[in-house]
Amino acid sequence: MSVVLKQISVRGLAGVENVAELKVAFNRHLHFTLVKDRNVANKRDYYFALANTVRDHLVGRWIRTQQYYYEKDPKRVYYISLEFYMGRTLQNTMVNLALENACDEAIYQLGLDMEELEDMEEDAGLGNGGLGRLAACFLDSMASLGLAAYGYGIRYEFGIFNQKIVNGWQVEEADDWLRYGNPWEKARPEYMRPVKFYGRTEHTPDGVKWVDTQVVLALPYDTPIPGYRNNIVNTMRLWSAKAPCDFNLKDFNVGGYIQAVLDRNLCENISRVLYPNDNFFEGKELRLKQEYFVVAATLQDVVRRFKASKFGSREVVRTDFAELPNKVAIQLNDTHPAMAIPELMRVLVDEEKLGWDKAWDVCVRTCAYTNHTVLPEALERWPIDLFHHLLPRHLEIIFEINHRFMEYVASKFPGDHDRMRRMSLIEEGGCKKVNMAHLCIVGSHAVNGVARIHSEILIFQNKTNGITPRRWLVMCNPGLAEVIAEKIGEEFIRDLDQLKRLLKFINDDAFIRDIAKVKQENKLKFAVHLEEHYKVKINPQSMFDFQVKRIHEYKRQLLNCLHMITYYNRIKKEPNKHWTPRTIMVGGKAAPGYHTAKMIIRLITAIGEVVNHDPVVGDRLKVIFLENYRVTLAEKAIPSADLSEQISTAGTEASGTGNMKFMLNGALTIGTMDGANVEMAEEAGEENLFIFGMRVEDVDAMDAGKGYHASEYYNRIPELKQAMDQIAGGFFSPKQPDLFKELVDLLMHHDRFKVFADYEAYIKCQDKVNQLYKNPKEWTKMVIHNIAGCGKFSSDRTIAQYAREIWGMEPSLEKIPAPDEKLK
């Protein structure tokens, strides 16, 4: 570990006694990890021993934090998300507990390699991309800001698939992340909860009863979430589906015992696998089951905790549900947990016997909704028939919500039937559907977008996304953290706005050299990784140009492909010219059913096959597809980046957070005015980003006017025509000349995202990038402007805004007493 984190650690914590204690604890855990008849430990045994040693330091703080919350009885926030993309936990925990220095020294003294042990940990890949990673950053910030917060989701047995590239194609492999166990979780069977499905409703004088249901048990697993050096440890609770003991065993009487036991698996499938779709809705029954499963189990927990307020007690001390919004905030991360709204109404009306109007007031004041997309194919619309079959009582409740809402709309806009049709929760047509976004909007007191431009398009309130500086700077780029800490101290880790103070050193030659040196060291390290894994010789002086994100047409990896080909053609045409060397890296997963995205991956690998083996080009251009892009790979790649590609069509990316990670780690952005790029340009100065292409108003004007015609650009721009002809003619696929026929057809005739319209501006902008890269000092000064402008993009700022403006809570940087100190 670098000198920096030894400095950024709490001073003196790596004292001799701490190291000695850690070694004793490590050896004790190792002793109990090993099976009796084994004398030799392997790396995984060492990893588990270290993880359990670090976990020991969490547990006391974890129990103390919950005790503290029960004594203070603050308002609690419940962040419900179908995705939590946590990555690895060990190093992040050491950073947040200020243990990394002592652990590093202890492991070194034991003759072990810390990096090797960290590499034994499986990524907790319980998310697809930005949505799930945002949830993970938010958990870190909520704990670091002292909020009584809980993350609730599903403990998928199989997370996002592992991506293998075989002969240039994506192949999916199951992510069996739990195969060796997970040292960070604790099963809590005492809080197991029943969740009901199917059945029918009975309307009786005592109210509505939901009967003849099938019950699935929700077993919670808790993971500790430590704040940054404040002794607070919050909880992420993930539910696992279990069949009840008597599930179908009545069949035993007719000789179907074996089948009855096997059928238990069917209900346990609910938590088996994460749906691997990002920004795409898949209307499968199992998916709706997952969505209801997580909210039904969570709301039982919410109500139980609301009713009991003493630590360790289950006695009911609070029964007035009018108080619920004062003690509970439920945040819905996208529409996936939208069922929380009808479920909360069911609990309040059917079980707690509140009148509808009072229950609805409580529900709306408790729930808030974050919208994450403007793409129509991503919006959840569930068929009425499926709802009726799976959740009959909830459909009745949704109909009642809609009936009352439509009466309200009619009273506000008499005779405006078109408005009623547009705003209804129930979409008419061949197959009636429930519009889940409308349900969230009607049932929440606050609706927010995730970047200013996104919120303006949708007319919501805005909470621009952010990233946690603990993982995305201190942990993954210790060299840069050290250089910054030497100039402005360590406060920036808790208050990223402090980075503005770096502007004082913008002309400091020594500081410029230090920033450039850290980048070069990170590049050298990543170049070794690339050569090891891809057998391609990398020029570490070349510009490291990254586009890493889910593969999707709207993110326009195809525009990047056209630049790769154009740059290749230029080098081939004038091989003796002084070209700026580039290593272009693209990474990301394509949803298994998204054929076009898989073809885009195949095109990138095909371009790489040609470019990387062309002796005329040499090391001036390399194209690499990064296999199995995930949190752990991002932590290695992002610190090494010179250029970050954020090139979605204006008006399609809600925010993005990868753009923020690159900016914080000293990469310059080439991008459109889309998502958070707009605010990044404001914070760093537009002159310090490479902005190109159409703005939202240009896209709207094109759509409203003559429309987008790809052939006009193809016929007018010779380099674009050459690149497209090469793809179409099999230049990159000589054995299968028609391989990319569909992609060519898409770009020429069916391109919703207007790739050609931005091609010319993009290429010119890339020329500007090449020019600046030839002047390392000016490039690094622009990098410093960007790092200094990152303050806004801390998830601490985002969460502080959610807390004050949505949840009615006040963040605190107060440190609570450690387990061996008395609570005040």
Side-chain angles (χ1 to χ4, degrees):
M1 188 166 285
S2 90
V3 180
V4 59
L5 283 186
K6 296 186 193 294
Q7 290 177 358
I8 292 181
S9 299
V10 172
R11 300 281 193 283
L13 198 74
V16 176
E17 64 288 347
N18 282 299
V19 173
E21 282 171 21
L22 284 165
K23 283 162 69 179
V24 168
F26 177 88
N27 281 318
R28 187 179 74 249
H29 279 296
L30 187 64
H31 174 76
F32 290 114
T33 298
L34 293 175
V35 185
K36 283 178 189 168
D37 60 349
R38 272 201 3 230
N39 298 316
V40 183
N42 62 32
K43 271 186 218 164
R44 184 162 286 105
D45 295 322
Y46 291 132
Y47 159 70
F48 272 98
L50 177 58
N52 285 314
T53 302
V54 171
R55 190 171 174 272
D56 290 345
H57 289 258
L58 276 172
V59 172
R61 289 173 173 84
W62 197 9
I63 294 167
R64 167 59 62 91
T65 301
Q66 302 313 311
Q67 186 181 353
Y68 177 77
Y69 289 158
Y70 275 93
E71 289 185 7
K72 296 275 184 188
D73 194 25
K75 187 172 186 179
R76 289 169 160 87
V77 59
Y78 296 92
Y79 193 84
I80 311 181
S81 178
L82 269 284
E83 299 184 23
F84 285 98
Y85 205 168
M86 304 302 288
R88 290 175 177 169
T89 295
L90 174 60
Q91 193 183 353
N92 189 68
T93 302
M94 293 191 296
V95 165
N96 278 12
L97 294 186
L99 276 175
E100 71 277 53
N101 188 18
C103 284
D104 206 43
E105 184 60 32
I107 292 301
Y108 173 76
Q109 288 185 19
L110 289 163
L112 298 168
D113 183 310
M114 178 62 94
E115 277 194 26
E116 282 188 358
L117 299 194
E118 287 169 350
D119 267 348
M120 297 311 297
E121 183 173 357
E122 301 279 345
D123 271 48
L126 308 187
N128 280 288
L131 180 91
R133 188 51 235 169
L134 182 79
C137 284
F138 279 5
L139 292 182
D140 178 275
S141 285
M142 289 188 281
S144 296
L145 292 175
L147 297 171
Y150 303 78
Y152 274 92
I154 293 179
R155 181 182 178 265
Y156 301 106
E157 203 173 308
F158 297 92
I160 184 64
F161 61 86
N162 287 318
Q163 179 195 55
K164 291 272 185 277
I165 300 299
V166 179
N167 300 322
W169 295 97
Q170 170 177 297
V171 175
E172 300 88 23
E173 287 184 355
D175 167 43
D176 192 4
W177 73 290
L178 292 169
R179 103 176 59 102
Y180 300 111
N182 173 10
W184 304 105
E185 67 181 9
K186 170 84 175 75
R188 304 299 301 274
E190 67 273 28
Y191 291 116
M192 193 140 61
R193 295 283 172 257
V195 176
K196 299 193 283 189
F197 294 100
Y198 307 111
R200 58 189 174 80
T201 58
E202 284 181 355
H203 292 255
T204 72
D206 296 331
V208 183
K209 291 188 167 47
W210 183 15
V211 297
D212 296 337
T213 56
Q214 184 190 103
V215 172
V216 177
L217 298 176
L219 171 64
Y221 285 80
D222 288 357
T223 299
I225 307 292
Y228 182 70
R229 303 187 182 177
N230 60 357
N231 292 326
I232 284 176
V233 179
N234 283 344
T235 302
M236 174 177 69
R237 177 163 284 184
L238 302 180
W239 300 101
S240 182
K242 295 287 167 207
C245 288
D246 61 352
F247 180 79
N248 270 357
L249 285 188
K250 57 182 182 298
D251 293 354
F252 180 41
N253 299 326
V254 290
Y257 166 69
I258 296 294
Q259 192 56 47
V261 174
L262 295 180
D263 283 351
R264 292 168 58 90
N265 275 336
L266 297 176
C267 78
E268 294 180 359
N269 280 342
I270 291 172
S271 57
R272 194 82 67 207
V273 64
L274 167 76
Y275 272 84
N277 300 311
D278 191 60
N279 276 302
F280 184 79
F281 168 57
E282 188 169 359
K284 296 285 201 302
E285 181 176 336
L286 178 60
R287 177 63 172 177
L288 184 55
K289 271 187 170 177
Q290 288 181 342
E291 294 183 354
Y292 178 65
F293 174 76
V294 70
V295 301
T298 299
L299 283 175
Q300 290 180 69
D301 244 15
V302 169
V303 168
R304 173 187 59 77
R305 216 176 267 121
F306 168 74
K307 287 181 172 179
S309 69
K310 283 191 189 144
F311 184 62
S313 164
R314 298 196 190 183
E315 289 173 30
V316 172
V317 295
R318 197 187 274 125
T319 54
D320 181 5
F321 276 88
E323 275 294 293
L324 190 74
N326 301 325
K327 288 295 178 186
V328 169
I330 293 172
Q331 190 69 37
L332 309 177
N333 192 28
D334 215 340
T335 53
H336 311 139
M339 288 303 300
I341 293 165
E343 173 65 5
L344 183 53
M345 286 300 288
R346 186 191 70 79
V347 170
L348 295 176
V349 173
D350 294 359
E351 295 181 3
E352 301 296 338
K353 305 303 182 188
L354 272 67
W356 181 278
D357 291 338
K358 187 176 179 184
W360 183 244
D361 175 65
V362 167
C363 179
V364 170
R365 288 195 295 129
T366 303
C367 295
Y369 160 57
T370 302
N371 174 279
H372 283 274
T373 185
V374 294
L375 296 178
E377 62 265 36
L379 295 176
E380 293 198 299
R381 298 177 174 94
W382 288 104
I384 294 282
D385 291 348
L386 175 57
F387 242 106
H388 183 260
H389 174 59
L390 191 67
L391 300 165
R393 178 58 183 143
H394 298 78
L395 185 60
E396 291 178 353
I397 290 168
I398 289 167
F399 280 152
E400 182 65 21
I401 293 169
N402 193 49
H403 171 68
R404 290 169 183 246
F405 179 58
M406 287 292 97
E407 283 186 339
Y408 170 76
V409 173
S411 70
K412 287 280 184 190
F413 305 96
D416 192 343
H417 298 296
D418 193 50
R419 180 183 292 272
M420 290 180 71
R421 182 187 56 74
R422 283 199 319 271
M423 296 179 76
S424 173
L425 274 59
I426 309 300
E427 292 186 353
E428 303 293 337
C431 165
K432 282 190 179 182
K433 292 178 178 176
V434 181
N435 185 314
M436 302 304 270
H438 289 189
L439 174 63
C440 287
I441 292 165
V442 172
S444 299
H445 70 277
V447 179
N448 72 281
V450 289
R452 195 177 64 234
I453 185 174
H454 169 230
S455 300
E456 284 167 0
I457 289 167
L458 296 164
I459 327 176
F460 294 154
Q461 59 159 290
N462 180 55
K463 301 286 171 282
T464 298
N465 282 343
I467 57 172
T468 167
R470 271 73 65 182
R471 184 179 289 262
W472 294 111
L473 178 57
V474 177
M475 186 185 116
C476 74
N477 200 345
L480 181 58
E482 177 179 3
V483 169
I484 294 170
E486 281 171 354
K487 286 294 180 193
I488 63 170
E490 300 164 18
E491 277 305 297
F492 72 91
I493 301 169
R494 293 184 72 104
D495 175 13
L496 211 59
D497 276 330
Q498 298 278 335
L499 292 177
K500 286 192 178 80
R501 293 165 55 202
L502 292 176
L503 291 174
K504 287 188 297 191
F505 308 102
I506 199 82
N507 294 308
D508 179 331
D509 284 349
F511 183 59
I512 291 168
R513 272 197 309 276
D514 287 345
I515 292 284
K517 182 167 175 274
V518 166
K519 179 62 69 180
Q520 199 51 39
E521 286 168 356
N522 290 336
K523 288 174 71 172
L524 284 164
K525 192 173 177 186
F526 197 62
V528 169
H529 172 85
L530 290 172
E531 287 173 30
E532 226 173 79
H533 287 81
Y534 299 95
K535 310 296 180 249
V536 176
K537 185 85 177 117
I538 301 297
N539 174 3
Q541 302 306 317
S542 66
M543 183 197 307
F544 280 20
D545 170 349
F546 282 91
Q547 187 181 19
V548 284
K549 47 187 79 250
R550 283 300 286 252
I551 309 296
H552 202 297
E553 288 163 80
Y554 87 86
K555 294 180 186 284
R556 297 203 298 192
Q557 284 92 355
L558 285 171
L559 183 57
N560 195 350
C561 288
L562 291 174
H563 172 248
M564 295 170 197
I565 296 169
T566 302
Y567 201 51
Y568 170 74
N569 288 335
R570 287 180 177 183
I571 297 171
K572 290 284 281 184
K573 191 176 175 185
E574 297 182 80
N576 298 321
K577 194 172 163 183
H578 179 59
W579 299 99
T580 302
R582 279 201 193 217
T583 302
I584 303 178
M585 289 164 272
V586 181
K589 294 174 181 177
Y594 190 175
H595 176 69
T596 301
K598 288 183 149 183
M599 287 306 302
I600 291 169
I601 291 174
R602 184 64 190 97
L603 176 61
I604 296 163
T605 59
I607 294 168
E609 284 159 19
V610 171
V611 169
N612 298 347
H613 296 101
D614 192 322
V616 175
V617 174
D619 66 359
R620 291 175 292 185
L621 180 63
K622 296 293 181 196
V623 173
I624 294 174
F625 187 84
L626 296 171
E627 185 179 72
N628 202 31
Y629 185 69
R630 60 203 185 282
V631 175
T632 298
L633 184 53
E635 290 161 1
K636 293 184 174 81
I638 289 171
S640 77
D642 293 305
L643 188 68
S644 157
E645 304 262 356
Q646 308 295 334
I647 58 178
S648 51
T649 313
T652 59
E653 185 71 88
S655 164
T657 49
N659 45 4
M660 302 167 187
K661 292 163 194 164
F662 280 108
M663 184 184 187
L664 182 59
N665 281 275
L668 298 184
T669 300
I670 182 167
T672 50
M673 275 298 197
D674 196 24
N677 294 358
V678 177
E679 290 157 83
M680 285 163 51
E682 274 175 21
E683 296 298 308
E686 194 171 326
E687 69 281 5
N688 292 308
L689 279 78
F690 298 100
I691 298 293
F692 72 92
M694 295 184 292
R695 314 271 164 134
V696 169
E697 53 273 22
D698 301 320
V699 174
D700 291 345
M702 180 180 280
D703 288 338
K706 66 184 180 104
Y708 168 69
H709 302 285
S711 56
E712 289 177 15
Y713 302 92
Y714 172 80
N715 291 323
R716 182 171 60 76
I717 307 167
E719 286 188 311
L720 173 60
K721 183 177 189 304
Q722 182 188 5
M724 288 303 296
D725 290 349
Q726 285 172 307
I727 297 170
F731 181 85
F732 297 103
S733 54
K735 291 180 181 168
Q736 294 173 273
D738 290 339
L739 182 60
F740 300 116
K741 192 168 178 290
E742 290 171 59
L743 284 184
V744 171
D745 187 52
L746 173 83
L747 286 170
M748 293 299 294
H749 305 292
H750 312 287
D751 180 14
R752 290 163 55 202
F753 302 107
K754 305 175 174 62
V755 168
F756 291 0
D758 276 340
Y759 169 82
E760 209 165 13
Y762 180 53
I763 298 296
K764 280 181 182 156
C765 198
Q766 290 283 18
D767 292 342
K768 278 170 61 185
V769 174
N770 285 335
Q771 210 47 45
L772 186 69
Y773 192 74
K774 290 176 181 172
N775 186 336
K777 185 173 179 181
E778 288 306 308
W779 179 280
T780 306
K781 283 169 81 167
M782 202 187 267
V783 163
I784 295 166
H785 273 290
N786 273 268
I787 296 170
C790 278
K792 179 176 185 175
F793 305 111
S794 168
S795 51
D796 295 348
R797 186 268 317 149
T798 314
I799 286 299
Q801 281 187 308
Y802 273 95
R804 293 185 177 116
E805 298 166 26
I806 295 179
W807 304 330
M809 299 163 77
E810 189 54 38
S812 164
L813 294 180
E814 182 192 347
K815 187 174 180 178
I816 70 168
D820 52 353
E821 300 171 41
K822 280 192 173 166
L823 280 175
K824 290 167 187 166

